[in-house]
Amino acid sequence: MQDGSIRTAATVIRECFANFEAEVAVRLALALDADTVLRLTSGAAEEERERHPERACDTVVLWQGPVFAGQPDTGQVGSLEAEAVAWEAKCARAKTVWAALGMQFHGRRPELMAIEWDRDRVVVCIKAASLADWDFWLTVIGAPVDADTRQAGYAQLAFGTRDGVPVHLVAHDVPRLLSEAWEAAREPYFLWGRVYDLARPLTDRNGDTWQHHRFRPRDHVPLLWRGDRDEPSALTHLIRDAGPLTAGAARFAPDPAAGAAGFAPDPAAGAAGFAPDPAAGATLFSPDPATGASHSAPDPAGAEEGGDA
């Protein structure tokens, strides 16, 4: 192994065992040596000591097996070195993305807490003031519109790719904002990290407006209708083809008796504003086990709802 690779490996090992006693590293080295993974070869070790006498006690040389007489020297890079080169290239790309994001957004977005370079990936941390912040950063990290997100405590996690580099988003306060959006909606529907109010028209990225038509009987996925089309489109298809969707003005005139809600609740519905289906329990419609799509509130455990159309 080349001297630079040895130094890199030693650095990684020291980082991994920073919180453990030195004895742990020694036991690991002995175990690897017993399995013939490592060998303290006198010739290579002596050469390493001559070049770096200050590290004489730390010299460990990877053993690549015996060299037989007459074995040709192909001059090709070994698989371990090839993997190391590929890993270093990934880390370099991640560092480039990290630097670019920092230059573009640091000091310009008040919700941004940190942008961290984590080896071959980038981690973005925000404290969202609104769901508009959540939507903005989902776009920035390159998260697909139909990608799953999950809750972790007071944060919502999302995963995307930017210039081929994995980017993870940790969005604090988003679970609370999603719950508030759910409570404020007249006909809430949670799908792929977003809450949609089906009582309001939804506009796709092409500027077309869609109205909720009905639920598909086999899996209760919402079907939306556009004025110039004869057939409705499933919400899942619409999001994949022309998402994300934004909400328009409410279709219902405010009722003076409704207060801030903007509509008069159904007396049989309680605080929810609609009468639930008795067969569905807490949900307006019973979810289809094959899709998981339902009319229920966002799962505190972080499970995503949705299904293919």
Side-chain angles (χ1 to χ4, degrees):
M1 211 175 191
Q2 296 179 356
D3 181 50
S5 299
I6 292 176
R7 290 200 302 272
T8 301
T11 301
V12 173
I13 292 173
R14 289 192 186 99
E15 290 179 357
C16 291
F17 289 98
N19 297 325
F20 298 90
E21 298 178 358
E23 182 184 358
V24 176
V26 174
R27 288 183 177 179
L28 175 61
L30 291 174
L32 293 173
D33 183 63
D35 289 336
T36 70
V37 176
L38 295 179
R39 279 292 182 269
L40 295 177
T41 59
S42 58
E46 187 63 31
E47 181 182 352
E48 183 72 8
R49 292 189 188 98
E50 290 177 359
R51 284 185 295 177
H52 303 284
E54 73 280 2
R55 300 202 327 257
C57 296
D58 296 333
T59 301
V60 176
V61 180
L62 283 181
W63 182 66
Q64 297 181 345
V67 179
F68 299 101
Q71 181 177 348
D73 183 6
T74 61
Q76 296 180 351
V77 178
S79 60
L80 288 177
E81 287 201 26
E83 291 178 8
V85 170
W87 170 256
E88 291 173 358
K90 288 181 179 179
C91 293
R93 288 196 298 270
K95 186 176 183 180
T96 300
V97 170
W98 163 74
L101 287 173
M103 292 182 62
Q104 185 175 359
F105 295 112
H106 267 309
R108 295 178 173 86
R109 299 289 304 189
E111 74 279 3
L112 178 60
M113 299 173 65
I115 301 176
E116 300 290 344
W117 170 39
D118 184 15
R119 298 186 184 278
D120 65 333
R121 65 178 182 173
V122 176
V123 180
V124 177
C125 298
I126 67 168
K127 186 174 183 180
S130 67
L131 288 179
D133 294 336
W134 169 241
D135 290 338
F136 174 83
W137 284 100
L138 287 176
T139 301
V140 169
I141 69 169
V145 291
D146 58 351
D148 289 339
T149 68
R150 66 171 182 263
Q151 182 177 346
Y154 295 100
Q156 198 79 8
L157 308 181
F159 310 92
T161 304
R162 190 178 175 95
D163 296 335
V165 174
V167 183
H168 296 187
L169 176 61
V170 182
H172 297 275
D173 287 349
V174 167
R176 174 182 59 81
L177 294 171
L178 289 172
S179 295
E180 290 175 357
W182 174 270
E183 294 295 333
R186 185 183 183 203
E187 294 184 54
Y189 192 89
F190 183 69
L191 181 64
W192 294 325
R194 291 178 169 92
V195 174
Y196 298 95
D197 187 354
L198 301 180
R200 303 174 67 178
L202 298 173
T203 303
D204 62 26
R205 66 168 178 260
N206 300 320
D208 295 325
T209 300
W210 300 78
Q211 307 278 359
H212 178 219
H213 179 62
R214 58 186 172 86
F215 286 88
R216 192 164 56 188
R218 63 182 173 89
D219 55 11
H220 299 298
V221 170
L223 296 175
L224 284 78
W225 176 77
R226 196 178 69 187
D228 58 349
R229 291 187 57 172
D230 295 332
E231 294 294 329
S233 177
L235 179 61
T236 48
H237 277 173
L238 184 57
I239 291 174
R240 289 190 177 111
D241 293 341
L245 307 179
T246 56
R251 291 178 294 173
F252 301 90
D255 188 316
F263 61 90
D266 184 342
F274 56 84
D277 184 346
T283 62
L284 182 58
F285 292 92
S286 301
D288 188 326
T291 64
S294 72
H295 220 52
S296 59
D299 186 352
E304 277 292 330
E305 296 174 357
D308 202 349

